[in-house]
Amino acid sequence: MDAALLEELKTLIKGEVATDEDTLMKHSHDASLFEVKPQVVVYPKDAEDVQTLVKFVAKHKKNHPHLSLTGRSAGTDMAGGSINDSIIVDFMKYFTHIGEIKNNIGTVQPGVYYRDFEKETLKQDLIFASYPASRELCAIGGIVNNNSGGEKSLMYGKTENFVKRTKVVLADGSICEFKPLNRQKLRGKLAKNDFEGKIYKHVYKLIKKNYDLLQKAKPPVSKNSAGYFLWNVWNKDTDIFDLNKLWVGAQGTLGMLLEADLELVQVHKHREMEIIFLHNLDHLGEIIDAVLPLKPESFESYDDNTLKLALRYFPEFAQKLGPFGLIQSGLAFAPAFMNMFVGKLPKLILQIDFTGNDPEELKQKIAILREKLKPLHPETKIAIEDAEKKYWLVRRESFNLLRNKIRDKHTAPFIDDFVINPHDIGEVLPQITDVVKRYPEFIYTVAGHIGDGNFHIIPLVDINNPEVRKAIPEISDEVYKIISKYHGSITGEHNDGLIRTPYLEQMYGKEITKLFEETKHIFDPEGIFNPRKKVKGDLNYAMDHIRTNWDVIQVPPVK
């Protein structure tokens, strides 16, 4: 950054303005493939600092067109959404307040680790139901801005269902609160002549004019984080207009989040888990049809490569269960070790988690499921409480094991989050894995939320190999053509970022992506916020910024 600009910025901000090499390198990475070095990292102290930052960039944007702001919380984004080459706004130092938790609503700032928020909600037997698998690492800012989902999304849906209010800084530096509006309150917003009023006028006009087109564009799957969710803003049945539905999942491209009101749900007292071991996918569709009508809280899966990884690094993996858990998991994993040695590991492990407050009802659901599955003769097991921890640990920790333990290869999340109709899994998943198998440089693991048809395929590669870098866009193009053919989404939870924004037109078509561009312009006419995400994605830019420094891994410490 220009020296004079930097000095001006330092005089304006009450928080810290950092340009030292260690800080810049730390913020050059998230959990994605990419490395983009910022010029400055700012730790805003309060809302006034955030407003000042926005006004500072707006003031100098004309003469310094590359100036921009990218909000960042825990830095666990897998698509490159929290990195940028200008100013990073880090909320993890000062925006860490957990407000009142009352009437099943918790008020929380973006720099709060989810794990800390959950400790407070559990004191009232409440939980934020759409937490992601990275629950020990991620923060609220990323959860809201990515429209995160996870293991409980099958029953409860994604973050978009639970954000009841957002407090944000807009592109003119003003603070605004978004919440659901009835017709009368919407009229009040439309009558305003300030920047907020203009946003409401233009978004309302855009949605009204293109209402039917937008409803047809909504992917017919249960999870989606691709593009702007314009189809969700205006509910004609209830006549409620809610810009939260647009803000959630916008990946910080429309402004800066200051705090959010999140709806919480009661924790169920009892659970029963059924495990199914599949040695082929021949009856997967029939199994899914048997499971879903019983309404499990979660329906998860992982493949034999994921299980092999857990077995390979068993000591580090099992330590997360504590000393007693280490012994228990050793006994529990003994059959898996034997099966691995004789080459009989299942190709796919399914875990179906039923929860509720009536234990007899849960036992009945397990019995019904087993009866339905009898003609298919699958290998099944009821997981008691200690075994449940083992299976959940494999599912939740697989990415961290990949990321931290395989030193000669690197995790390469780029087709890591597609969604299809669950009934198409048996047909689609082999097509996608066949694409990856054609590239001998790639090995991979498969895990996912099978009940939602949401899969995470994480290749392991030598990212410095030119053949690997060349293959990434080739594989992406083939995989996303398959996803488009089956009317799925290219991202269910991880959002677009640098890696998927260039494929939004392939998913939605030119007409809808043009509406995305109009939406971005309404909120951010000068292009202040998080460029190259959601609109005007540049695949060449992304490929030119594939990470080379793998010694710096930005993973927050687990307390």
Side-chain angles (χ1 to χ4, degrees):
M1 178 182 288
D2 179 272
L5 277 182
L6 182 60
E7 287 307 308
E8 179 184 345
L9 182 60
K10 288 179 177 178
T11 64
L12 295 173
I13 299 297
K14 297 190 289 291
E16 287 84 65
V17 178
T19 57
D20 62 281
E21 191 66 15
D22 286 347
T23 300
L24 296 184
M25 286 307 298
K26 175 184 174 183
H27 290 80
S28 298
H29 311 113
D30 48 18
S32 73
L33 273 171
F34 305 107
E35 178 178 79
V36 181
K37 188 176 179 180
Q39 298 177 44
V40 183
V41 175
V42 178
Y43 301 89
K45 200 160 192 177
D46 52 24
E48 186 180 23
D49 263 1
V50 180
Q51 291 180 278
T52 299
L53 272 169
V54 172
K55 292 175 182 177
F56 169 82
V57 173
K59 173 185 173 183
H60 294 289
K61 184 74 173 175
K62 183 176 181 180
N63 292 327
H64 301 271
H66 294 297
L67 270 181
S68 66
L69 299 170
T70 293
R72 181 181 174 111
S73 294
T76 59
D77 189 277
M78 294 175 69
S82 60
I83 53 180
N84 192 24
D85 55 12
S86 187
I87 302 172
I88 298 292
V89 186
D90 190 325
F91 287 94
M92 296 302 289
K93 192 164 188 176
Y94 295 112
F95 281 76
T96 58
H97 179 64
I98 299 173
E100 185 178 36
I101 298 174
K102 184 179 179 181
N103 298 326
N104 288 22
I105 299 289
T107 300
V108 62
Q109 290 185 325
V112 173
Y113 282 119
Y114 171 77
R115 63 187 185 235
D116 295 332
F117 183 52
E118 187 181 271
K119 288 173 186 174
E120 296 303 312
T121 66
L122 286 177
K123 291 176 182 177
Q124 299 185 36
D125 291 325
L126 298 170
I127 198 166
F128 180 64
S130 65
Y131 63 80
S134 59
R135 54 187 287 167
E136 296 300 320
L137 305 174
C138 65
I140 298 299
I143 288 175
V144 172
N145 280 293
N146 280 337
N147 189 24
S148 292
E151 60 203 37
K152 295 183 187 295
S153 294
L154 179 63
M155 175 174 282
Y156 296 106
K158 294 180 61 190
T159 296
E160 60 192 289
N161 295 344
F162 298 99
V163 177
K164 300 306 174 185
R165 178 189 67 94
T166 50
K167 185 177 181 181
V168 306
V169 176
L170 299 174
D172 69 337
S174 64
I175 292 178
C176 167
E177 291 189 0
F178 292 133
K179 48 192 172 184
L181 302 176
N182 59 25
R183 174 59 61 173
Q184 181 180 355
K185 290 181 179 178
L186 175 61
R187 286 196 190 102
K189 294 289 186 183
L190 295 173
K192 295 177 68 175
N193 291 318
D194 58 6
F195 189 66
E196 179 190 1
K198 289 178 182 177
I199 286 175
Y200 273 98
K201 287 187 188 77
H202 290 304
V203 173
Y204 176 74
K205 181 179 179 182
L206 184 149
I207 292 175
K208 185 177 181 181
K209 179 181 178 181
N210 299 282
Y211 186 85
D212 291 338
L213 177 66
L214 289 169
Q215 294 306 310
K216 289 177 183 176
K218 183 176 182 178
V221 288
S222 62
K223 296 167 82 171
N224 177 46
S225 283
Y228 291 123
F229 316 142
L230 289 163
W231 39 79
N232 289 338
V233 174
W234 184 17
N235 186 326
K236 278 194 173 182
D237 293 334
T238 61
D239 205 20
I240 295 296
F241 193 90
D242 186 3
L243 284 182
N244 280 313
K245 301 296 185 183
L246 182 58
W247 186 274
V248 174
Q251 212 166 29
T253 60
L254 305 180
M256 290 280 169
L257 178 70
L258 298 177
E259 69 178 27
D261 286 352
L262 305 179
E263 184 178 6
L264 310 170
V265 302
Q266 287 288 327
V267 176
H268 288 152
K269 296 178 181 178
H270 301 282
R271 65 190 327 113
E272 292 280 349
M273 183 186 288
E274 179 83 345
I275 306 296
I276 302 176
F277 305 94
L278 297 182
H279 292 276
N280 59 62
L281 304 185
D282 292 350
H283 298 295
L284 182 57
E286 294 163 272
I287 292 170
I288 291 170
D289 287 341
V291 171
L292 290 180
L294 295 171
K295 300 188 182 305
E297 185 179 73
S298 65
F299 184 9
E300 301 289 292
S301 66
Y302 52 89
D303 70 344
D304 53 343
N305 288 331
T306 305
L307 183 54
K308 286 176 187 175
L309 187 74
L311 296 174
R312 180 177 173 184
Y313 295 102
F314 177 74
E316 296 96 326
F317 173 82
Q319 279 175 1
K320 293 180 179 291
L321 296 173
F324 186 58
L326 180 62
I327 297 171
Q328 286 183 320
S329 60
L331 295 172
F333 271 103
F337 276 111
M338 293 299 297
N339 286 334
M340 184 172 70
F341 287 137
V342 298
K344 290 187 177 179
L345 280 179
K347 299 300 292 182
L348 199 66
I349 296 95
L350 311 181
Q351 58 183 58
I352 303 110
D353 209 12
F354 296 102
T355 65
N357 296 322
D358 182 352
E360 292 306 315
E361 180 185 357
L362 303 183
K363 287 182 172 60
Q364 185 179 14
K365 285 187 175 184
I366 292 287
I368 292 171
L369 177 59
R370 290 197 152 198
E371 188 64 30
K372 285 183 174 183
L373 295 178
K374 269 185 181 179
L376 306 178
H377 306 289
E379 181 186 350
T380 63
K381 179 180 181 179
I382 295 177
I384 59 175
E385 184 177 351
D386 293 325
E388 282 184 14
K389 293 179 183 177
K390 174 190 76 172
Y391 290 110
W392 273 120
L393 199 60
V394 174
R395 174 65 187 87
R396 289 170 178 158
E397 292 295 326
S398 57
F399 178 69
N400 284 331
L401 281 169
L402 284 170
R403 196 174 175 208
N404 295 321
K405 292 299 178 185
I406 313 294
R407 289 301 177 186
D408 59 331
K409 294 186 184 295
H410 312 111
T411 53
F414 65 98
I415 51 165
D416 52 291
D417 192 34
F418 63 85
V419 188
I420 51 175
N421 186 310
H423 299 96
D424 294 330
I425 291 171
E427 186 176 339
V428 175
L429 192 56
Q431 292 183 48
I432 289 173
T433 54
D434 283 347
V435 171
V436 185
K437 286 175 184 176
R438 293 206 302 269
Y439 295 81
E441 300 87 0
F442 287 72
I443 60 174
Y444 61 91
T445 63
V446 179
H449 315 289
I450 195 167
D452 287 305
N454 181 199
F455 278 88
H456 305 308
I457 295 184
I458 310 289
L460 273 170
V461 294
D462 175 5
I463 201 64
N464 293 316
N465 182 341
E467 291 301 314
V468 167
R469 293 173 178 245
K470 178 184 174 186
I472 287 172
E474 294 175 359
I475 293 172
S476 297
D477 188 59
E478 288 194 67
V479 167
Y480 293 148
K481 282 179 180 175
I482 295 170
I483 299 305
S484 295
K485 178 182 174 183
Y486 286 87
H487 308 291
S489 170
I490 61 177
T491 175
E493 302 170 335
H494 298 169
N495 221 287
D496 301 311
L498 292 173
I499 190 61
R500 278 181 285 270
T501 295
Y503 293 96
L504 286 174
E505 186 175 314
Q506 181 175 309
M507 176 176 167
Y508 287 111
K510 289 184 178 181
E511 206 168 4
I512 295 299
T513 50
K514 182 67 175 175
L515 294 181
F516 292 165
E517 290 176 4
E518 289 183 34
T519 301
K520 169 71 170 175
H521 185 73
I522 290 168
F523 278 84
D524 186 17
E526 303 301 322
I528 290 171
F529 301 115
N530 210 10
R532 305 183 191 90
K533 289 81 179 216
K534 293 292 177 183
V535 299
K536 298 182 180 178
D538 186 338
L539 188 59
N540 289 328
Y541 180 92
M543 292 300 103
D544 288 343
H545 286 82
I546 289 181
R547 185 173 180 170
T548 56
N549 179 10
W550 291 88
D551 294 327
V552 181
I553 298 179
Q554 170 61 9
V555 179
V558 179
K559 299 176 182 176

